[in-house]
Amino acid sequence: MPDLLIELFSEEIPARMQARAADDLKKLVTNGLVEAGLTYAGAAAFSTPRRLTLAIEGVLANSPTLREERKGPRVDAPEQAIEGFLRGAGLTRDQLEERDAGKARVFFAVIEKPGRPASEIVAEVLEGAVRNFPWPKSMRWGTGSLRWVRPLQSILCILTTEAGAEVVPMSVEGITAGNTTEGHRFMGKGRFAVASFEDYAAKLKQNRVILDPAERADAIWAEATSQAFANGLEVVEDAGLLAEVAGLVEWPVVLMGAIDQAFLGLPAEVLQTSMREHQKFFSVRNPKTGRIERFVTVANIETRDHGATILAGNQKVLSARLSDARFFWENDLRTVKNVGLEGMAAGLASVTFHNKLGSQADRVARIEALAREIAPLLGAKPDLAAEAARVAKADLQSEMVGEFPELQGLMGRYYAAAAGHDDGVPEACEMHYKPLGPSDEVPTHPVSVAVALADKIDTLTGFWAIDEKPTGSKDPYALRRAALGVIRLVLGNEVRSRFAHSLIDPTIRSLNASMGEGEVLFLPVRSHSGEQSLASVSAYTRSAFPDIATKDTINLDATCFAIRNAEADLIEGDRPGTAMQSREIAPIGSLISNLLGFFYDRLKVYLKDQGIRHDVIDACLSETDSTPSAGLPANDDLMLLVKRAEALAAFLKTDDGENLLQGFKRAANILSQAEEKDGVEYSYGADVKFAETDAERALFAALDQAEGTIAPAMKAEDFAAAMTAMAALRAPIDAFFEAVQVNTDNAVVRRNRLNLLSRIRTICISVADLTRLDG
Amino acid sequence: MSMAGTGGTPRSFQEIILRLQAYWASKGCAVMQPYDMEVGAGTFHPATTLRSLGTKAWAAAYVQPSRRPTDGRYGENPNRLQHYYQYQVLIKPSPPDLQALYLGSLEAIGIDMALHDIRFVEDDWESPTLGAWGLGWEVWCDGMEVSQFTYFQQVGGHDCHPVSGELTYGLERLAMYVLGVNHVMDMPYNDPDAPIRLSYGDVFRQTEEEYSRHNFDAATTEMLLRHFEDAEAECARLLALPAEDPKTGKRIIMAHPAYDQCIKASHLFNLLDARGVISVTERQAYIGRVRALAKQCADAFVQTDAGGWAA
């Protein structure tokens, strides 16, 4: 069976797109071949800055012949029907067969699709792939209309068998496929023909191209670390940079250079960032001092002076860049020494955070208030948390962060220390942005945790309040990440708190407080459940929401999330002009519960990665066992929720757990069918005196015992004990169903048994709502 | 005295320019002169902006003095100037060997491909004021960006058919590298062996000072604002006139005079920006106004002969 080799040779493909493009090429071509009936044994795709390459082994030489039979109309059917059938089958009358089918003679069409040679199919599939390639950005060039990431220059496409290689005849927009390619732009020796993948890879190497990006990355890393090691140094790992650099060269040549003494006083992160972002340099560290002392650059060429000219040029560029960095660093330090971080932060008042949520300074004030309020929950001193929140975003106004936005937080830490802050405040400047993703580090210092939580919850609540929630793949404010951050902060630090009460509610008050005088966003009043917390909005603040407050009622409505999701009636004020004066709106609870729902969704995603199914979480989210209070959801202690879900997940993995679940479901099914049929709810009054069998009596006893254990265990949050007690029900329930027919003729006994089943349901649900579990 | 086009390393700023001129002339480009107005980049020259529109083939190369008022540093910064030179090449349709032609130009100015590390690093180009964008690279020589290489996809809101290939060399930076100079003002402007030897600083230090003061502090903002409005109005007015010239009876669309007003507006905006009188939100609005002018000029140009219009 032939092997297929394809190379799409172009001008330089952006490094960040190469891996994905190689993968896409593989998918498009292999899918196309398989659809056309050409199976294959294996496929591998590669990329360099100038080529995408696909090698497919063991392709069928021909696609199989396909035979299809279609039953048509009766022989005596109207002419139109027969003609319609002929059109559909693409045949003429004389090609049809007549056959007996039951009582009638019927036409049959036998359509045979002969197999096609691989080269024909490959040509079609490859042309389709080239024309419909999913580049993230593509372009036209010259006079053509073909789109590619950069001008496509040549196509190599051959099928190789023992007999030799054969060019697949195809062309796209004047580029005709051949069996030749070229090597390195400067070190290659012109175009050459290839006969197979092995031949291709070998000749590329002779022409100074390493085809496989992984091989280039390995070579770079091995050479860089060995050069560093020889000097008693180590290369700072950076997988992203390594992949990028491997995509910028076809023939990596690793060169190590020194950083001018004048710049070694800069923070290591500044050196690293400047070198990585501008120059694609790796940082080389002295393990004894922790200082970055050298750099590694990867050239794409071997030179007669062994890279001396290249290195000197790179060093010169680096010095110019670092002069800038040092200039920013010194200016920033001067600023914080003169006016403090608060002074540096002053400019945040003129930076808009979001036109409906005010300036960065407004936001900082809200975060400060919230951090102060929640600090005790986290074991932090309120004053320190407030101080940290106040200066945590000052570095956004620094020159260094202006130049290197990715250094936000980190520069804050340096500048906070330089300004004399202490006691966890500098650390909070850096850490309050974290965690930035599922694998990022979670802050643990109480001051950092307070600011980190306040920052994220303010963001979430604010965007929720103005109805800028994530939809589908759109999450421009990274709210999913913020919610995950909150979850990881809470779980990672075992923060015990009623989430809605202690975190979201104060945020809303803080949002209100940051609005101007007499203006509130939400105001807890009385809820429909009669307890409290109905929000009546008098208005948004003019200072924080100038657009809304002054002109834009449509935005106003979009902004008032709570209004749009009103459970209570809107009383008045949809018209311009009147809108701002008085407005009764829905319970604040609807905003909170919607936001909590979002948290629960993120929690499910998070726990799913930890191996806990979403239905297990649902079962623990059920509120049937608890009393809602203050109009706020009861199960909003994330820590508790997760402990309970973990216990339930562990329980369900045991034999007892699985069987108990079956018993429970059986009981619940019989019960709900009977309730539906009888139109009553069986919930109370099971009495052991109507029990007829030992199994029945034993179940009564077991339920009494379980009840006695479960209630205190749940109260003590000892979920494992509650689950164990529930597990003890398994045997009696099984025995009960074994021995007893629930729906007996004796009405009294039947009712008693149904009430008994109801006890099973109630007791189990007090541990977790097992009805929500799948399976 | 070394001459343009001869081998070896050039010895002066002007020799680099002369060699580039000779090289691109030898490759068939019309060597044009700088546009006689203040522009922010070589792209603004009508030989690029307007000629990249329409179907007619084009090949031009030229030096363009460029002004970026906010980059003024009173001649003190080794790399930043408010007035500097770009070398610009525009070829339409982009030839298939444009990368090779470009590399040839580097060799022409003494960059030995066997000794240096030349790389094409992704860098997409967009000019919000011209309503233009393209894909391409910044070209690195030993880690330093020496040129911008772009395949125009859209200009003035028009899709480019055929596509032009544009090369832009930052001449001072490139020359400093080739000549091994660390401060732009120290760079030899003419031949170092000339009887009257002139450095870049001899030629430009004083003007950098004068214009820095002017751009940052002295230019009259009310006047600049007024001129901006005037240029904007004039551009629209010229384009609104009927195509037929009442005096000659010919069809004369004034795309170029209108475009001059667009260029003016753009430079006035840059000056206002340097004077610090444009707020962040206003900035976008001004850019949008210049873009609207560029778009109207592009619309007009494709109605002219040079823009490929056929009656």
Side-chain angles (χ1 to χ4, degrees), chain A residues 10 13 30 132 177 217 292 370 377 410 476 673 685 742:
Chain A
S10 68
I13 307 166
T30 55
N132 303 306
I292 307 292
L370 184 58
L377 271 177
L410 191 85
Q673 280 162 15
V742 175

Side-chain angles (χ1 to χ4, degrees), chain A residues 511-562:
Chain A
L511 269 166
N512 283 338
S514 81
M515 311 279 103
E517 197 183 326
E519 311 273 6
V520 289
L521 181 53
F522 304 99
L523 187 69
V525 207
R526 305 183 63 80
S527 82
H528 59 307
S529 65
E531 298 209 28
Q532 63 155 238
S533 189
L534 203 158
S536 130
V537 166
S538 95
Y540 281 93
T541 173
R542 261 185 288 280
S543 64
F545 307 123
D547 287 353
I548 304 159
T550 53
K551 44 183 190 251
D552 195 342
T553 31
I554 294 165
N555 273 353
L556 171 70
D557 284 348
T559 305
C560 292
F561 168 82

Side-chain angles (χ1 to χ4, degrees), chain A residues 11 16 137 140 142 150 298, chain B residues 94 119 122 124 136 151 160:
Chain A
E11 298 179 6
R16 66 189 171 93
K137 258 186 187 175
R140 293 171 289 104
R150 294 293 183 276
V298 182
Chain B
S94 63
R119 232 81 76 67
E122 176 189 17
D124 301 339
Y151 292 100
C160 298

Side-chain angles (χ1 to χ4, degrees), chain A residues 200-211 215 251:
Chain A
Y200 168 77
K203 282 182 178 154
L204 277 182
K205 207 157 265 185
Q206 287 161 23
N207 282 276
R208 295 293 183 267
V209 174
I210 299 177
L211 178 63
E215 191 185 333
W251 189 259

